[in-house]
Amino acid sequence: MRKIIIDTDPGQDDAVAILLALASRELEVLGITAVAGNVPLPLTEVNVRKTCELAGRTDIGVYAGADRPLERALVTAEHVHGKTGIDGPDLPEPTMPLRTQHGVDFLIEQVMDHAPGTITLCALGPLTNLATAIRREPEFAPRVAEIVLMGGGYFEGGNITPAAEFNIYVDPEAAATVCAAGIDLTIIPLDCTHKALTTRARVEAFRAIGTPVGDAVADLIGFFERFDEAKYGTDGAPLHDPCVIAQLLQPDLFTGRTVNVEIETGSELTRGATVVDWWRVTDRPANATVLGDVDAEGYFKLLTERIARL
Ligand code: RIB
Ligand code: CA
């Protein structure tokens, strides 16, 4: 089993990613750390616990991390995700406890307590928690096996500004720290996730599972997709975050290349832009594997069969 920690800002797509991870026996979820992003931290941590309870996994350790970016004011996305952050299904208030340890302390403790190269970090939101751990503990980065993150955009541009994707935009300094940390890094940007649309047929396949979790996933997506369908005029919306987990389970669903990625932190106009040297026109070090394409049918097939297990 592959040991992972999920860092997340639920967010309907984050919730589906968490469910996919909890439904997959190949993965051992050591814990889930919440970060401020789509909605403020007091809501993202509750949303993680609601999702774990939906999956029947009240054993999972849920930790609250950073409540704001390293240097900037928090920017949230209630206009996309609703006021709770996971509008759609009516999920009960959680009864499982929030662990008292800070999420960043949990990340550092787990990485330092396990052998080097054991833990994969799955980042589904702004990178504040991961960057804080990297900056605080010099031994952290060398011991992390891999980071797989959803964030950025190159050919696809941005979704919160013309230049930047939300997760990177919210905390560009954190993203720059992660990209410079020398950790084995896989980035799944909008260029990839925009090819994984929640079409009507795919949403109905979740509904057809006929379980409370299947219905909740269909309801989560049903709410989440309305914003992007109106914006892009597409049948369905990009289901971003579960791509991170799917990449661990079935990497051959994705293709990409290992290139240099730098983050814009100086310009207000292009703050949070991921500058991807896709054509290798510079001699900057190739610090990330950037995934540009996904087999969408295979992705949703994997998702549907795994969600049916919960
Ligand atoms: O831009 C998409 C990303 O921002 C996803 O992770 C979504 O959950 C939001 O956090
Ligand atoms: Ca997210």
Side-chain angles (χ1 to χ4, degrees):
M1 289 175 91
R2 186 169 187 165
K3 296 182 187 300
I4 70 169
I5 296 174
I6 300 172
D7 189 72
T8 176
D9 66 333
Q12 288 86 353
D13 58 324
D14 303 68
V16 179
I18 292 167
L19 293 170
L20 176 59
L22 297 179
S24 300
R25 285 184 292 275
E26 304 92 319
L27 304 175
E28 180 185 358
V29 179
L30 297 176
I32 303 178
T33 52
V35 67
N38 286 318
V39 288
L41 179 70
L43 286 173
T44 56
E45 69 86 354
V46 162
N47 293 341
V48 175
R49 290 191 283 147
K50 284 183 174 180
T51 304
C52 289
E53 290 194 348
L54 174 65
R57 293 296 306 276
T58 55
D59 59 300
I60 296 288
V62 178
Y63 302 82
D67 63 2
R68 54 158 298 169
L70 293 177
E71 297 178 19
R72 311 227 183 202
L74 178 62
V75 172
T76 54
E78 287 88 349
H79 59 291
V80 179
H81 299 276
K83 65 179 176 11
T84 71
I86 52 170
D87 283 23
D90 183 13
L91 299 178
E93 285 307 305
T95 55
M96 67 185 283
L98 174 71
R99 299 297 171 88
T100 53
Q101 188 178 24
H102 190 283
V104 173
D105 294 334
F106 173 74
L107 283 164
I108 293 173
E109 174 196 80
Q110 290 297 308
V111 166
M112 299 308 286
D113 286 356
H114 284 80
T118 305
I119 296 177
T120 295
L121 305 180
C122 300
L124 313 182
L127 294 162
T128 316
N129 288 337
L130 271 62
T132 304
I134 290 166
R135 291 183 179 193
R136 184 182 300 168
E137 171 49 68
E139 271 310 299
F140 182 82
R143 296 173 74 95
V144 171
E146 182 182 11
I147 293 176
V148 185
L149 70 88
M150 189 278 141
Y154 182 59
F155 296 103
E156 200 65 15
N159 59 4
I160 187 78
T161 72
E165 178 278 327
F166 179 80
N167 289 338
I168 309 302
Y169 177 79
V170 169
D171 199 340
E173 286 72 23
T177 294
V178 168
C179 287
I183 298 172
D184 187 352
L185 178 59
T186 297
I187 294 178
I188 305 181
L190 299 176
D191 308 85
C192 181
T193 66
H194 278 196
K195 296 168 184 168
L197 298 183
T198 59
T199 62
R200 209 78 335 262
R202 289 165 179 167
V203 177
E204 283 321 307
F206 288 117
R207 185 81 64 193
I209 295 171
T211 61
V213 178
D215 287 346
V217 168
D219 292 342
L220 284 164
I221 292 172
F223 182 89
F224 163 81
E225 69 183 359
R226 83 217 179 285
F227 180 83
D228 279 345
E229 280 185 326
K231 177 176 172 182
Y232 297 112
T234 47
D235 169 18
L239 193 58
H240 307 285
D241 291 342
C243 287
V244 169
I245 307 301
Q247 196 275 336
L248 299 183
L249 297 172
Q250 226 176 301
D252 58 359
L253 288 174
F254 300 84
T255 58
R257 60 176 69 172
T258 301
V259 293
N260 177 264
V261 178
E262 305 286 343
I263 309 296
E264 175 58 62
T265 56
S267 153
E268 269 319 296
L269 176 64
T270 58
R271 147 200 172 163
T274 42
V275 182
V276 179
D277 187 5
W278 188 260
W279 304 112
R280 299 187 179 103
V281 297
T282 76
D283 56 2
R284 294 197 288 252
N287 57 339
T289 296
V290 178
L291 301 183
D293 207 351
V294 58
D295 165 2
E297 277 305 308
Y299 171 55
F300 280 93
K301 179 173 179 292
L302 172 68
L303 256 175
T304 307
E305 70 186 32
R306 294 298 169 102
I307 294 298
R309 294 183 182 179
L310 293 173

